[in-house]
PDB file of all heavy atoms in Angstrom:
ATOM      1  N   LEU A   1     -19.624   9.378 -21.373  1.00 90.00           N
ATOM      2  CA  LEU A   1     -18.634   8.642 -20.639  1.00 90.00           C
ATOM      3  C   LEU A   1     -19.295   7.705 -19.579  1.00 90.00           C
ATOM      4  O   LEU A   1     -18.864   6.487 -19.444  1.00 90.00           O
ATOM      5  CB  LEU A   1     -17.690   9.598 -19.914  1.00 90.00           C
ATOM      6  CG  LEU A   1     -16.625   8.915 -18.996  1.00 90.00           C
ATOM      7  CD1 LEU A   1     -15.659   8.116 -19.833  1.00 90.00           C
ATOM      8  CD2 LEU A   1     -15.870  10.044 -18.231  1.00 90.00           C
ATOM      9  N   ILE A   2     -20.332   8.193 -18.899  1.00 90.00           N
ATOM     10  CA  ILE A   2     -20.916   7.396 -17.839  1.00 90.00           C
ATOM     11  C   ILE A   2     -21.942   6.403 -18.204  1.00 90.00           C
ATOM     12  O   ILE A   2     -22.110   5.397 -17.633  1.00 90.00           O
ATOM     13  CB  ILE A   2     -21.544   8.434 -16.788  1.00 90.00           C
ATOM     14  CG1 ILE A   2     -20.440   9.211 -16.083  1.00 90.00           C
ATOM     15  CG2 ILE A   2     -22.407   7.769 -15.788  1.00 90.00           C
ATOM     16  CD1 ILE A   2     -20.948  10.240 -15.077  1.00 90.00           C
ATOM     17  N   THR A   3     -22.680   6.717 -19.330  1.00 89.00           N
ATOM     18  CA  THR A   3     -23.707   5.831 -19.721  1.00 89.00           C
ATOM     19  C   THR A   3     -23.299   4.346 -19.950  1.00 89.00           C
ATOM     20  O   THR A   3     -23.913   3.432 -19.511  1.00 89.00           O
ATOM     21  CB  THR A   3     -24.359   6.351 -21.043  1.00 89.00           C
ATOM     22  OG1 THR A   3     -24.921   7.588 -20.798  1.00 89.00           O
ATOM     23  CG2 THR A   3     -25.492   5.381 -21.578  1.00 89.00           C
ATOM     24  N   PRO A   4     -22.130   4.085 -20.658  1.00 91.00           N
ATOM     25  CA  PRO A   4     -21.733   2.642 -20.807  1.00 91.00           C
ATOM     26  C   PRO A   4     -21.417   2.017 -19.385  1.00 91.00           C
ATOM     27  O   PRO A   4     -21.665   0.869 -19.247  1.00 91.00           O
ATOM     28  CB  PRO A   4     -20.460   2.749 -21.613  1.00 91.00           C
ATOM     29  CG  PRO A   4     -20.548   4.039 -22.332  1.00 91.00           C
ATOM     30  CD  PRO A   4     -21.258   4.917 -21.405  1.00 91.00           C
ATOM     31  N   VAL A   5     -20.925   2.842 -18.485  1.00 90.00           N
ATOM     32  CA  VAL A   5     -20.566   2.297 -17.115  1.00 90.00           C
ATOM     33  C   VAL A   5     -21.904   1.933 -16.433  1.00 90.00           C
ATOM     34  O   VAL A   5     -21.971   0.848 -15.774  1.00 90.00           O
ATOM     35  CB  VAL A   5     -19.829   3.306 -16.280  1.00 90.00           C
ATOM     36  CG1 VAL A   5     -19.594   2.849 -14.918  1.00 90.00           C
ATOM     37  CG2 VAL A   5     -18.515   3.757 -16.957  1.00 90.00           C
ATOM     38  N   LEU A   6     -22.964   2.762 -16.603  1.00 90.00           N
ATOM     39  CA  LEU A   6     -24.230   2.444 -15.970  1.00 90.00           C
ATOM     40  C   LEU A   6     -24.908   1.233 -16.643  1.00 90.00           C
ATOM     41  O   LEU A   6     -25.477   0.431 -15.954  1.00 90.00           O
ATOM     42  CB  LEU A   6     -25.136   3.659 -16.131  1.00 90.00           C
ATOM     43  CG  LEU A   6     -24.683   4.913 -15.427  1.00 90.00           C
ATOM     44  CD1 LEU A   6     -25.746   6.004 -15.678  1.00 90.00           C
ATOM     45  CD2 LEU A   6     -24.515   4.717 -14.003  1.00 90.00           C
ATOM     46  N   ASP A   7     -24.704   1.085 -17.925  1.00 88.00           N
ATOM     47  CA  ASP A   7     -25.216  -0.080 -18.662  1.00 88.00           C
ATOM     48  C   ASP A   7     -24.550  -1.389 -18.058  1.00 88.00           C
ATOM     49  O   ASP A   7     -25.206  -2.399 -17.855  1.00 88.00           O
ATOM     50  CB  ASP A   7     -24.964   0.012 -20.128  1.00 88.00           C
ATOM     51  CG  ASP A   7     -25.727   1.055 -20.784  1.00 88.00           C
ATOM     52  OD1 ASP A   7     -26.765   1.493 -20.196  1.00 88.00           O
ATOM     53  OD2 ASP A   7     -25.326   1.532 -21.901  1.00 88.00           O
ATOM     54  N   PHE A   8     -23.208  -1.286 -17.807  1.00 87.00           N
ATOM     55  CA  PHE A   8     -22.490  -2.407 -17.293  1.00 87.00           C
ATOM     56  C   PHE A   8     -23.029  -2.721 -15.872  1.00 87.00           C
ATOM     57  O   PHE A   8     -23.240  -3.895 -15.573  1.00 87.00           O
ATOM     58  CB  PHE A   8     -21.049  -2.097 -17.319  1.00 87.00           C
ATOM     59  CG  PHE A   8     -20.157  -3.145 -16.703  1.00 87.00           C
ATOM     60  CD1 PHE A   8     -19.658  -4.209 -17.458  1.00 87.00           C
ATOM     61  CD2 PHE A   8     -19.839  -3.127 -15.342  1.00 87.00           C
ATOM     62  CE1 PHE A   8     -18.845  -5.152 -16.811  1.00 87.00           C
ATOM     63  CE2 PHE A   8     -19.041  -4.128 -14.738  1.00 87.00           C
ATOM     64  CZ  PHE A   8     -18.542  -5.177 -15.527  1.00 87.00           C
ATOM     65  N   MET A   9     -23.206  -1.671 -15.041  1.00 86.00           N
ATOM     66  CA  MET A   9     -23.593  -1.918 -13.698  1.00 86.00           C
ATOM     67  C   MET A   9     -25.001  -2.546 -13.586  1.00 86.00           C
ATOM     68  O   MET A   9     -25.231  -3.325 -12.711  1.00 86.00           O
ATOM     69  CB  MET A   9     -23.633  -0.563 -12.924  1.00 86.00           C
ATOM     70  CG  MET A   9     -22.230   0.060 -12.730  1.00 86.00           C
ATOM     71  SD  MET A   9     -22.291   1.829 -12.284  1.00 86.00           S
ATOM     72  CE  MET A   9     -23.064   1.657 -10.602  1.00 86.00           C
ATOM     73  N   GLN A  10     -25.853  -2.187 -14.525  1.00 82.00           N
ATOM     74  CA  GLN A  10     -27.232  -2.695 -14.450  1.00 82.00           C
ATOM     75  C   GLN A  10     -27.394  -4.044 -15.146  1.00 82.00           C
ATOM     76  O   GLN A  10     -28.253  -4.840 -14.694  1.00 82.00           O
ATOM     77  CB  GLN A  10     -28.255  -1.725 -15.100  1.00 82.00           C
ATOM     78  CG  GLN A  10     -28.470  -0.501 -14.258  1.00 82.00           C
ATOM     79  CD  GLN A  10     -29.607   0.322 -14.802  1.00 82.00           C
ATOM     80  OE1 GLN A  10     -29.470   0.974 -15.857  1.00 82.00           O
ATOM     81  NE2 GLN A  10     -30.785   0.319 -14.153  1.00 82.00           N
ATOM     82  N   THR A  11     -26.654  -4.424 -16.117  1.00 84.00           N
ATOM     83  CA  THR A  11     -26.811  -5.646 -16.861  1.00 84.00           C
ATOM     84  C   THR A  11     -25.948  -6.793 -16.285  1.00 84.00           C
ATOM     85  O   THR A  11     -26.267  -7.904 -16.528  1.00 84.00           O
ATOM     86  CB  THR A  11     -26.403  -5.430 -18.315  1.00 84.00           C
ATOM     87  OG1 THR A  11     -25.118  -4.943 -18.509  1.00 84.00           O
ATOM     88  CG2 THR A  11     -27.450  -4.523 -18.989  1.00 84.00           C
ATOM     89  N   MET A  12     -24.927  -6.501 -15.588  1.00 83.00           N
ATOM     90  CA  MET A  12     -24.110  -7.530 -14.933  1.00 83.00           C
ATOM     91  C   MET A  12     -24.956  -8.288 -13.893  1.00 83.00           C
ATOM     92  O   MET A  12     -25.628  -7.631 -13.104  1.00 83.00           O
ATOM     93  CB  MET A  12     -22.861  -6.967 -14.255  1.00 83.00           C
ATOM     94  CG  MET A  12     -21.949  -7.961 -13.562  1.00 83.00           C
ATOM     95  SD  MET A  12     -21.202  -9.127 -14.647  1.00 83.00           S
ATOM     96  CE  MET A  12     -20.010  -8.106 -15.439  1.00 83.00           C
ATOM     97  N   PRO A  13     -24.981  -9.657 -13.976  1.00 81.00           N
ATOM     98  CA  PRO A  13     -25.776 -10.345 -12.955  1.00 81.00           C
ATOM     99  C   PRO A  13     -25.391  -9.974 -11.523  1.00 81.00           C
ATOM    100  O   PRO A  13     -24.281  -9.834 -11.181  1.00 81.00           O
ATOM    101  CB  PRO A  13     -25.481 -11.804 -13.298  1.00 81.00           C
ATOM    102  CG  PRO A  13     -25.008 -11.807 -14.712  1.00 81.00           C
ATOM    103  CD  PRO A  13     -24.375 -10.508 -14.931  1.00 81.00           C
ATOM    104  N   ALA A  14     -26.465  -9.798 -10.698  1.00 76.00           N
ATOM    105  CA  ALA A  14     -26.283  -9.289  -9.358  1.00 76.00           C
ATOM    106  C   ALA A  14     -25.336 -10.230  -8.574  1.00 76.00           C
ATOM    107  O   ALA A  14     -24.524  -9.710  -7.785  1.00 76.00           O
ATOM    108  CB  ALA A  14     -27.627  -9.199  -8.632  1.00 76.00           C
ATOM    109  N   PHE A  15     -25.398 -11.500  -8.812  1.00 76.00           N
ATOM    110  CA  PHE A  15     -24.539 -12.476  -8.074  1.00 76.00           C
ATOM    111  C   PHE A  15     -23.096 -12.194  -8.227  1.00 76.00           C
ATOM    112  O   PHE A  15     -22.245 -12.451  -7.335  1.00 76.00           O
ATOM    113  CB  PHE A  15     -24.835 -13.874  -8.384  1.00 76.00           C
ATOM    114  CG  PHE A  15     -26.202 -14.382  -7.915  1.00 76.00           C
ATOM    115  CD1 PHE A  15     -27.272 -14.274  -8.775  1.00 76.00           C
ATOM    116  CD2 PHE A  15     -26.323 -14.887  -6.649  1.00 76.00           C
ATOM    117  CE1 PHE A  15     -28.527 -14.695  -8.382  1.00 76.00           C
ATOM    118  CE2 PHE A  15     -27.583 -15.285  -6.244  1.00 76.00           C
ATOM    119  CZ  PHE A  15     -28.724 -15.216  -7.072  1.00 76.00           C
ATOM    120  N   VAL A  16     -22.664 -11.654  -9.407  1.00 80.00           N
ATOM    121  CA  VAL A  16     -21.301 -11.497  -9.715  1.00 80.00           C
ATOM    122  C   VAL A  16     -20.638 -10.383  -8.832  1.00 80.00           C
ATOM    123  O   VAL A  16     -19.458 -10.526  -8.420  1.00 80.00           O
ATOM    124  CB  VAL A  16     -21.151 -11.045 -11.184  1.00 80.00           C
ATOM    125  CG1 VAL A  16     -19.658 -10.749 -11.518  1.00 80.00           C
ATOM    126  CG2 VAL A  16     -21.702 -12.156 -12.135  1.00 80.00           C
ATOM    127  N   TYR A  17     -21.500  -9.403  -8.369  1.00 79.00           N
ATOM    128  CA  TYR A  17     -20.898  -8.329  -7.515  1.00 79.00           C
ATOM    129  C   TYR A  17     -20.510  -8.893  -6.144  1.00 79.00           C
ATOM    130  O   TYR A  17     -19.695  -8.251  -5.421  1.00 79.00           O
ATOM    131  CB  TYR A  17     -21.974  -7.219  -7.331  1.00 79.00           C
ATOM    132  CG  TYR A  17     -22.180  -6.468  -8.594  1.00 79.00           C
ATOM    133  CD1 TYR A  17     -23.543  -6.280  -9.058  1.00 79.00           C
ATOM    134  CD2 TYR A  17     -21.152  -5.892  -9.342  1.00 79.00           C
ATOM    135  CE1 TYR A  17     -23.766  -5.600 -10.234  1.00 79.00           C
ATOM    136  CE2 TYR A  17     -21.451  -5.203 -10.480  1.00 79.00           C
ATOM    137  CZ  TYR A  17     -22.692  -5.072 -10.955  1.00 79.00           C
ATOM    138  OH  TYR A  17     -22.940  -4.395 -12.103  1.00 79.00           O
ATOM    139  N   LEU A  18     -21.072 -10.037  -5.735  1.00 78.00           N
ATOM    140  CA  LEU A  18     -20.774 -10.605  -4.425  1.00 78.00           C
ATOM    141  C   LEU A  18     -19.331 -11.096  -4.385  1.00 78.00           C
ATOM    142  O   LEU A  18     -18.704 -11.139  -3.281  1.00 78.00           O
ATOM    143  CB  LEU A  18     -21.766 -11.768  -4.028  1.00 78.00           C
ATOM    144  CG  LEU A  18     -23.231 -11.364  -4.078  1.00 78.00           C
ATOM    145  CD1 LEU A  18     -24.088 -12.582  -3.716  1.00 78.00           C
ATOM    146  CD2 LEU A  18     -23.477 -10.252  -3.100  1.00 78.00           C
ATOM    147  N   ILE A  19     -18.774 -11.525  -5.519  1.00 75.00           N
ATOM    148  CA  ILE A  19     -17.442 -12.185  -5.523  1.00 75.00           C
ATOM    149  C   ILE A  19     -16.395 -11.145  -5.093  1.00 75.00           C
ATOM    150  O   ILE A  19     -15.650 -11.377  -4.107  1.00 75.00           O
ATOM    151  CB  ILE A  19     -17.166 -12.828  -6.863  1.00 75.00           C
ATOM    152  CG1 ILE A  19     -18.268 -13.835  -7.151  1.00 75.00           C
ATOM    153  CG2 ILE A  19     -15.867 -13.504  -6.864  1.00 75.00           C
ATOM    154  CD1 ILE A  19     -18.164 -14.352  -8.607  1.00 75.00           C
ATOM    155  N   PRO A  20     -16.171 -10.008  -5.824  1.00 77.00           N
ATOM    156  CA  PRO A  20     -15.206  -9.085  -5.446  1.00 77.00           C
ATOM    157  C   PRO A  20     -15.508  -8.424  -4.048  1.00 77.00           C
ATOM    158  O   PRO A  20     -14.547  -8.081  -3.331  1.00 77.00           O
ATOM    159  CB  PRO A  20     -15.103  -8.077  -6.530  1.00 77.00           C
ATOM    160  CG  PRO A  20     -16.471  -8.213  -7.150  1.00 77.00           C
ATOM    161  CD  PRO A  20     -16.918  -9.569  -7.074  1.00 77.00           C
ATOM    162  N   ALA A  21     -16.805  -8.289  -3.778  1.00 79.00           N
ATOM    163  CA  ALA A  21     -17.213  -7.637  -2.485  1.00 79.00           C
ATOM    164  C   ALA A  21     -16.670  -8.459  -1.331  1.00 79.00           C
ATOM    165  O   ALA A  21     -16.218  -7.919  -0.323  1.00 79.00           O
ATOM    166  CB  ALA A  21     -18.670  -7.522  -2.438  1.00 79.00           C
ATOM    167  N   VAL A  22     -16.727  -9.743  -1.497  1.00 76.00           N
ATOM    168  CA  VAL A  22     -16.218 -10.626  -0.358  1.00 76.00           C
ATOM    169  C   VAL A  22     -14.700 -10.473  -0.270  1.00 76.00           C
ATOM    170  O   VAL A  22     -14.124 -10.418   0.851  1.00 76.00           O
ATOM    171  CB  VAL A  22     -16.557 -12.116  -0.614  1.00 76.00           C
ATOM    172  CG1 VAL A  22     -15.824 -13.059   0.284  1.00 76.00           C
ATOM    173  CG2 VAL A  22     -18.094 -12.292  -0.477  1.00 76.00           C
ATOM    174  N   PHE A  23     -13.982 -10.415  -1.371  1.00 74.00           N
ATOM    175  CA  PHE A  23     -12.499 -10.296  -1.312  1.00 74.00           C
ATOM    176  C   PHE A  23     -12.077  -8.979  -0.682  1.00 74.00           C
ATOM    177  O   PHE A  23     -11.165  -8.882   0.060  1.00 74.00           O
ATOM    178  CB  PHE A  23     -11.930 -10.398  -2.773  1.00 74.00           C
ATOM    179  CG  PHE A  23     -11.763 -11.797  -3.223  1.00 74.00           C
ATOM    180  CD1 PHE A  23     -12.638 -12.415  -4.151  1.00 74.00           C
ATOM    181  CD2 PHE A  23     -10.671 -12.667  -2.762  1.00 74.00           C
ATOM    182  CE1 PHE A  23     -12.481 -13.711  -4.580  1.00 74.00           C
ATOM    183  CE2 PHE A  23     -10.547 -13.928  -3.147  1.00 74.00           C
ATOM    184  CZ  PHE A  23     -11.457 -14.467  -4.065  1.00 74.00           C
ATOM    185  N   PHE A  24     -12.812  -7.853  -1.021  1.00 80.00           N
ATOM    186  CA  PHE A  24     -12.368  -6.582  -0.530  1.00 80.00           C
ATOM    187  C   PHE A  24     -12.874  -6.302   0.834  1.00 80.00           C
ATOM    188  O   PHE A  24     -12.237  -5.527   1.614  1.00 80.00           O
ATOM    189  CB  PHE A  24     -12.890  -5.523  -1.487  1.00 80.00           C
ATOM    190  CG  PHE A  24     -12.351  -5.594  -2.899  1.00 80.00           C
ATOM    191  CD1 PHE A  24     -13.084  -5.233  -4.036  1.00 80.00           C
ATOM    192  CD2 PHE A  24     -11.006  -6.069  -3.160  1.00 80.00           C
ATOM    193  CE1 PHE A  24     -12.565  -5.329  -5.272  1.00 80.00           C
ATOM    194  CE2 PHE A  24     -10.518  -6.199  -4.373  1.00 80.00           C
ATOM    195  CZ  PHE A  24     -11.284  -5.846  -5.440  1.00 80.00           C
ATOM    196  N   PHE A  25     -14.069  -6.821   1.211  1.00 78.00           N
ATOM    197  CA  PHE A  25     -14.720  -6.429   2.511  1.00 78.00           C
ATOM    198  C   PHE A  25     -15.058  -7.619   3.364  1.00 78.00           C
ATOM    199  O   PHE A  25     -15.795  -7.476   4.352  1.00 78.00           O
ATOM    200  CB  PHE A  25     -15.985  -5.608   2.220  1.00 78.00           C
ATOM    201  CG  PHE A  25     -15.711  -4.369   1.405  1.00 78.00           C
ATOM    202  CD1 PHE A  25     -15.895  -4.303   0.048  1.00 78.00           C
ATOM    203  CD2 PHE A  25     -15.211  -3.200   2.075  1.00 78.00           C
ATOM    204  CE1 PHE A  25     -15.615  -3.173  -0.660  1.00 78.00           C
ATOM    205  CE2 PHE A  25     -14.984  -2.047   1.354  1.00 78.00           C
ATOM    206  CZ  PHE A  25     -15.190  -2.058  -0.041  1.00 78.00           C
ATOM    207  N   SER A  26     -14.628  -8.847   2.948  1.00 72.00           N
ATOM    208  CA  SER A  26     -14.944 -10.025   3.709  1.00 72.00           C
ATOM    209  C   SER A  26     -16.409 -10.258   3.768  1.00 72.00           C
ATOM    210  O   SER A  26     -17.159 -10.014   2.831  1.00 72.00           O
ATOM    211  CB  SER A  26     -14.324  -9.998   5.088  1.00 72.00           C
ATOM    212  OG  SER A  26     -14.354 -11.304   5.660  1.00 72.00           O
ATOM    213  N   LEU A  27     -16.918 -10.861   4.867  1.00 74.00           N
ATOM    214  CA  LEU A  27     -18.349 -11.211   5.055  1.00 74.00           C
ATOM    215  C   LEU A  27     -19.084 -10.180   5.834  1.00 74.00           C
ATOM    216  O   LEU A  27     -18.541  -9.272   6.446  1.00 74.00           O
ATOM    217  CB  LEU A  27     -18.457 -12.582   5.796  1.00 74.00           C
ATOM    218  CG  LEU A  27     -17.761 -13.791   5.126  1.00 74.00           C
ATOM    219  CD1 LEU A  27     -18.019 -15.042   5.991  1.00 74.00           C
ATOM    220  CD2 LEU A  27     -18.217 -14.008   3.723  1.00 74.00           C
TER     221      LEU A  27
END
């Protein structure tokens, strides 16, 4: 169950995580 989630977390470009992070937690 967890392995595909970990694959997603590691292969998604790092910059993409900044977008929702800004919406949920601002700057």
Side-chain angles (χ1 to χ4, degrees):
L1 176 66
I2 290 180
T3 298
V5 178
L6 298 180
D7 293 338
F8 178 87
M9 292 166 65
Q10 284 190 289
T11 55
M12 178 67 71
F15 290 94
V16 176
Y17 292 127
L18 301 180
I19 304 172
V22 167
F23 278 105
F24 298 146
F25 303 97
S26 192
L27 302 182

